PDB file of all heavy atoms in Angstrom:
ATOM      1  N   VAL M  63     -24.491  -0.902   5.128  1.00 72.00           N
ATOM      2  CA  VAL M  63     -24.353  -2.378   4.715  1.00 72.00           C
ATOM      3  C   VAL M  63     -25.168  -3.238   5.557  1.00 72.00           C
ATOM      4  O   VAL M  63     -25.025  -2.991   6.924  1.00 72.00           O
ATOM      5  CB  VAL M  63     -22.861  -2.888   4.734  1.00 72.00           C
ATOM      6  CG1 VAL M  63     -22.793  -4.354   4.442  1.00 72.00           C
ATOM      7  CG2 VAL M  63     -22.087  -1.872   3.738  1.00 72.00           C
ATOM      8  N   VAL M  73     -30.064  -5.590  10.845  1.00 75.00           N
ATOM      9  CA  VAL M  73     -29.011  -4.936  11.569  1.00 75.00           C
ATOM     10  C   VAL M  73     -28.105  -4.260  10.336  1.00 75.00           C
ATOM     11  O   VAL M  73     -27.609  -4.939   9.589  1.00 75.00           O
ATOM     12  CB  VAL M  73     -28.072  -5.706  12.313  1.00 75.00           C
ATOM     13  CG1 VAL M  73     -26.891  -5.075  13.052  1.00 75.00           C
ATOM     14  CG2 VAL M  73     -28.958  -6.462  13.474  1.00 75.00           C
ATOM     15  N   LEU M 144      14.770   0.090   7.988  1.00 93.00           N
ATOM     16  CA  LEU M 144      16.022  -0.693   7.953  1.00 93.00           C
ATOM     17  C   LEU M 144      16.618  -0.848   9.327  1.00 93.00           C
ATOM     18  O   LEU M 144      17.678  -1.530   9.443  1.00 93.00           O
ATOM     19  CB  LEU M 144      16.930   0.089   7.082  1.00 93.00           C
ATOM     20  CG  LEU M 144      16.602   0.282   5.513  1.00 93.00           C
ATOM     21  CD1 LEU M 144      17.507   0.991   4.868  1.00 93.00           C
ATOM     22  CD2 LEU M 144      16.370  -1.033   4.970  1.00 93.00           C
ATOM     23  N   ASP M 183      31.857   6.112  -3.335  1.00 94.00           N
ATOM     24  CA  ASP M 183      33.120   6.376  -4.201  1.00 94.00           C
ATOM     25  C   ASP M 183      33.558   7.775  -4.214  1.00 94.00           C
ATOM     26  O   ASP M 183      34.670   8.123  -4.661  1.00 94.00           O
ATOM     27  CB  ASP M 183      32.571   6.053  -5.614  1.00 94.00           C
ATOM     28  CG  ASP M 183      32.293   4.608  -5.894  1.00 94.00           C
ATOM     29  OD1 ASP M 183      32.837   3.846  -5.136  1.00 94.00           O
ATOM     30  OD2 ASP M 183      31.698   4.157  -6.870  1.00 94.00           O
ATOM     31  N   GLY M 201      28.301   0.281   3.857  1.00 94.00           N
ATOM     32  CA  GLY M 201      28.313  -1.171   3.778  1.00 94.00           C
ATOM     33  C   GLY M 201      27.140  -1.670   4.684  1.00 94.00           C
ATOM     34  O   GLY M 201      26.430  -2.571   4.165  1.00 94.00           O
ATOM     35  N   LEU M 207      19.715  -3.364   3.119  1.00 94.00           N
ATOM     36  CA  LEU M 207      18.825  -3.505   1.858  1.00 94.00           C
ATOM     37  C   LEU M 207      18.829  -4.733   1.225  1.00 94.00           C
ATOM     38  O   LEU M 207      17.806  -5.162   0.664  1.00 94.00           O
ATOM     39  CB  LEU M 207      19.361  -2.242   0.961  1.00 94.00           C
ATOM     40  CG  LEU M 207      19.129  -0.838   1.294  1.00 94.00           C
ATOM     41  CD1 LEU M 207      19.777   0.179   0.407  1.00 94.00           C
ATOM     42  CD2 LEU M 207      17.614  -0.527   1.258  1.00 94.00           C
ATOM     43  N   PHE M 215      10.989  -6.481  -0.450  1.00 85.00           N
ATOM     44  CA  PHE M 215      10.769  -5.058  -0.328  1.00 85.00           C
ATOM     45  C   PHE M 215      10.902  -4.319  -1.595  1.00 85.00           C
ATOM     46  O   PHE M 215      10.247  -3.357  -1.762  1.00 85.00           O
ATOM     47  CB  PHE M 215      11.970  -4.549   0.653  1.00 85.00           C
ATOM     48  CG  PHE M 215      11.798  -3.013   0.931  1.00 85.00           C
ATOM     49  CD1 PHE M 215      10.722  -2.581   1.450  1.00 85.00           C
ATOM     50  CD2 PHE M 215      13.058  -2.250   0.737  1.00 85.00           C
ATOM     51  CE1 PHE M 215      10.635  -1.215   1.910  1.00 85.00           C
ATOM     52  CE2 PHE M 215      12.887  -0.866   1.099  1.00 85.00           C
ATOM     53  CZ  PHE M 215      11.696  -0.291   1.539  1.00 85.00           C
ATOM     54  N   LEU M 219       8.614  -0.808  -4.266  1.00 88.00           N
ATOM     55  CA  LEU M 219       9.299   0.464  -4.690  1.00 88.00           C
ATOM     56  C   LEU M 219       9.293   0.734  -6.149  1.00 88.00           C
ATOM     57  O   LEU M 219       9.579  -0.178  -7.010  1.00 88.00           O
ATOM     58  CB  LEU M 219      10.728   0.434  -4.275  1.00 88.00           C
ATOM     59  CG  LEU M 219      10.928   0.344  -2.705  1.00 88.00           C
ATOM     60  CD1 LEU M 219      12.332   0.186  -2.265  1.00 88.00           C
ATOM     61  CD2 LEU M 219      10.193   1.464  -1.968  1.00 88.00           C
TER      62      LEU M 219
END
Side-chain angles (χ1 to χ4, degrees):
V63 176
V73 177
L144 298 176
D183 293 342
L207 287 172
F215 183 55
L219 300 176

